[in-house]
Amino acid sequence: VDYSQIELRIMAHLSGDQNMVDAFNSGYDIHAATAAKIYKVPLSGVTSDMRRKAKTANFGIIYGISIFGLAERLAIPRGEAKELIDGYFETYPEVKRYMDESIQNAKANGYVETIYGRKRYLSDINSQNSIVRGYAERNAINAPIQGSAADIIKIAMVKIQEMIKRNQLKSKMTLQVHDELNFTVPADELDAMKSLVVNEMQNVVKLKVPIIADYGVGKNWLEAH
């Protein structure tokens, strides 16, 4: 069972950007919705190439990707990458505000926090070395997002384990990998575990947008994927 686009959903929550919040709350494909806004076309007019570029921008920008980095990743001219990033921030202006404020808060406090108040200290945030400082600034933007995702799944794991014990199930939580949990489940407990795990993962915290968990089943991890 894995979280669907959890980091983008946390970005929507932290930034409060209305366009991003509305896209998630409407159940739209966030990458197609982003492409439609950036390229100023209806959702039905979004091509697979537009969606691919918007997806890379969606995930790249929350990691502080540069124009050069986006151009390299998409194999496009830097001018087009700049237009893509500019279009992204025009589409999601509150995301840009969140990023700028995260850096300023880190410079003032020396740390950033997750949704649950867990701190990430950034000793290089005021470094005179621009490369070192830039790395810290990217962490200031991303650490609250990645850190909050880590907090959320850990709390879900605790709640799921409590429910497995309470219901005296034989199923076992086997492995956590980033935003995914793997379980070893007897066939006669499969339906109960699907319901239990998805419910706990989706309701572990209330954000401004829904949290979605998807599952797959198989005789091994490869099949389940």
Side-chain angles (χ1 to χ4, degrees):
V1 189
D2 70 333
Y3 280 123
S4 172
Q5 300 161 340
I6 186 68
E7 292 184 352
L8 288 177
R9 292 173 192 271
I10 291 169
M11 171 62 95
H13 175 79
L14 290 173
S15 69
D17 188 276
Q18 204 57 54
N19 282 335
M20 190 174 279
V21 168
D22 288 348
F24 277 122
N25 285 337
S26 299
Y28 294 147
D29 172 346
I30 188 65
H31 305 312
T34 299
K37 294 274 190 183
I38 290 174
Y39 293 103
K40 296 178 172 56
V41 297
L43 270 173
S44 58
V46 173
T47 66
S48 59
D49 187 58
M50 288 177 183
R51 185 186 182 280
R52 177 181 68 87
K53 289 175 179 175
K55 181 177 181 180
T56 302
N58 266 330
F59 287 117
I61 284 168
I62 64 173
Y63 286 97
I65 197 169
S66 64
I67 291 169
F68 176 77
L70 189 62
E72 286 281 293
R73 192 170 300 179
L74 288 172
I76 58 175
R78 290 185 200 179
E80 185 180 344
K82 183 180 185 303
E83 288 177 8
L84 195 55
I85 289 176
D86 289 347
Y88 186 94
F89 288 136
E90 185 182 322
T91 299
Y92 301 130
E94 292 303 301
V95 170
K96 176 63 172 164
R97 179 196 58 76
Y98 161 79
M99 293 169 71
D100 291 341
E101 284 186 1
S102 293
I103 292 169
Q104 291 310 311
N105 288 338
K107 286 180 182 295
N109 302 320
Y111 63 83
V112 290
E113 292 183 293
T114 68
I115 290 170
Y116 290 93
R118 190 159 58 89
K119 294 180 174 67
R120 167 73 184 272
Y121 287 89
L122 299 164
S123 59
D124 295 324
I125 193 67
N126 292 305
S127 172
Q128 296 302 307
N129 183 314
S130 62
I131 295 172
V132 172
R133 186 177 65 251
Y135 180 75
E137 288 177 352
R138 287 192 292 276
N139 276 329
I141 294 165
N142 186 248
I145 298 169
Q146 272 197 313
S148 294
D151 292 348
I152 286 168
I153 199 165
K154 291 299 190 301
I155 294 167
M157 289 166 73
V158 172
K159 291 180 178 293
I160 289 165
Q161 187 58 32
E162 287 173 352
M163 291 298 291
I164 289 173
K165 285 184 178 179
R166 187 180 306 169
N167 290 288
Q168 298 182 321
L169 298 171
K170 295 185 180 69
S171 297
K172 294 186 184 301
M173 192 172 351
T174 311
L175 188 66
Q176 178 225 343
V177 183
H178 302 299
D179 59 0
E180 173 180 345
L181 297 179
N182 292 337
F183 299 85
T184 303
V185 180
D188 61 352
E189 291 182 2
L190 185 56
D191 288 342
M193 282 294 289
K194 282 179 188 173
S195 175
L196 183 159
V197 174
V198 169
N199 182 65
E200 292 298 337
M201 287 178 70
Q202 292 188 162
N203 293 292
V204 66
V205 64
K206 184 71 174 172
L207 302 182
K208 293 170 185 171
V209 298
I211 297 177
I212 303 297
D214 300 316
Y215 66 83
V217 178
K219 292 177 182 176
N220 54 52
W221 192 9
L222 181 64
E223 278 188 21
H225 260 259

